[in-house]
Amino acid sequence: MQDQFKFTPIETVAQPQIRDKVYEQLKRAILNGYMQPGERLIERKLAELLGVSRTPVREAIRVLELEGLVAHFPRVGVVVTQVSDTEVMEIYRIRAVLEGLCARMAAEKIKPQELEQLTELLAKIEEYAKGSQMEKLEQTHQSFNDVIYRAADSQRLYSMIITLVEHINRYTRVGYSHPGRIEEANREHRQLLEAIKIGNGSLAESLAREHIENSRRAYFKKRNPKNITNEGNHSQ
């Protein structure tokens, strides 16, 4: 488990809520890449870190197992699952379509205050990129995207895309570590914002999809620089 993630002891709450709070922290640690594929989840250790009994930890792990984020192996225990390149490719492709639709709808429906938010958030993203403040950059990037998702004004679409976003966060960090990708992404964000500002839904959709496709390519180039022509056509 990487040192930068700190589990927060859970204060006394109603019993049914304890498992949910344990689940939320474990899921965040996995999806944000602080708990790596193959890493074991040890009930006793996690219970101590979270300040709870082992029962809610065990229950939370069962939920994570149903979601495919962890798996139980005989004589090994519960470990964070390893996602195949094919699955990553699939998630990126689905997200490209949904992001494009969100951008189109946002361009058609966005409110002035939301445009103002996007402008302010993009300025912060560029500032954090220059200062190599990766954690702040990632958090602000997520906020920037979230404004666009909400501006589309479709709860069903929002729920669908947020699920994918949660599962792809751990791969985004890999792509951003590819040389030049952060600067390229910032240019893409700027172009997308301009398209939304002028209400050009078709252009916004095209730019959003291109942005996700470029992120996908950056991920696979970083993961497998010697075989970038076969991105995602094989499993790990």
Side-chain angles (χ1 to χ4, degrees):
M1 193 182 302
Q2 297 185 11
D3 293 335
Q4 58 264 48
F5 187 85
K6 301 296 182 183
F7 284 103
T8 304
I10 295 171
E11 303 293 337
T12 302
V13 296
Q15 187 65 31
Q17 296 178 353
I18 295 178
R19 185 206 67 180
D20 295 340
K21 289 185 176 295
V22 171
Y23 160 78
E24 288 169 5
Q25 290 205 50
L26 291 177
K27 183 175 182 178
R28 187 167 71 250
I30 293 169
L31 294 179
N32 288 342
Y34 297 119
M35 298 180 74
Q36 295 292 311
E39 183 170 342
R40 292 179 63 207
L41 277 70
I42 303 172
E43 285 182 14
R44 174 186 51 76
K45 182 177 179 180
L46 291 171
E48 291 174 359
L49 288 170
L50 291 164
V52 299
S53 70
R54 294 174 65 171
T55 299
V57 173
R58 187 178 304 117
E59 292 173 348
I61 287 174
R62 288 198 190 109
V63 178
L64 293 171
E65 190 170 4
L66 289 173
E67 294 183 352
L69 293 174
V70 302
H72 184 274
F73 295 98
R75 297 186 296 277
V76 176
V78 178
V79 299
V80 178
T81 55
Q82 179 80 2
V83 180
S84 72
D85 282 353
T86 300
E87 290 172 298
V88 176
M89 173 72 80
E90 181 182 61
I91 292 173
Y92 267 115
R93 284 179 167 167
I94 295 171
R95 185 180 172 189
V97 174
L98 296 182
E99 290 261 0
L101 180 57
C102 266
R104 174 185 283 272
M105 294 172 68
E108 296 167 351
K109 301 179 179 182
I110 198 162
K111 300 177 179 65
Q113 61 267 33
E114 292 170 329
L115 277 174
E116 186 176 341
Q117 280 182 281
L118 288 177
T119 301
E120 293 173 354
L121 288 167
L122 183 55
K124 289 181 179 179
I125 287 173
E126 293 173 343
E127 175 187 342
Y128 295 144
K130 290 178 181 177
S132 298
Q133 301 178 66
M134 291 306 299
E135 186 171 349
K136 288 184 177 180
L137 186 152
E138 290 170 6
Q139 291 172 352
T140 310
H141 178 213
Q142 290 174 20
S143 298
F144 178 88
N145 288 343
D146 195 67
V147 173
I148 295 175
Y149 303 154
R150 292 185 184 280
D153 196 26
S154 170
Q155 187 57 50
R156 189 181 298 273
L157 178 57
Y158 182 82
S159 298
M160 291 171 67
I161 200 166
I162 284 299
T163 299
L164 284 177
V165 169
E166 287 181 341
H167 283 268
I168 211 167
N169 276 345
R170 48 178 161 172
Y171 315 124
T172 303
R173 194 174 276 123
V174 174
Y176 269 2
S177 65
H178 187 271
R181 177 55 194 156
I182 291 178
E183 293 76 15
E184 181 184 51
N186 285 344
R187 288 194 297 272
E188 293 163 4
H189 291 142
R190 178 68 62 184
Q191 292 170 346
L192 176 58
L193 176 55
E194 291 304 315
I196 292 174
K197 278 183 178 179
I198 64 175
N200 191 329
S202 178
L203 178 59
E205 180 173 13
S206 175
L207 290 170
R209 293 185 66 157
E210 182 180 1
H211 173 65
I212 299 301
E213 288 299 314
N214 288 340
S215 295
R216 176 183 62 80
R217 282 191 284 269
Y219 169 81
F220 283 105
K221 284 179 181 178
K222 187 65 179 181
R223 284 271 293 111
N224 194 7
K226 294 183 180 180
N227 190 27
I228 60 173
T229 58
N230 294 320
E231 306 171 348
N233 292 329
H234 60 282
S235 298
Q236 294 177 2

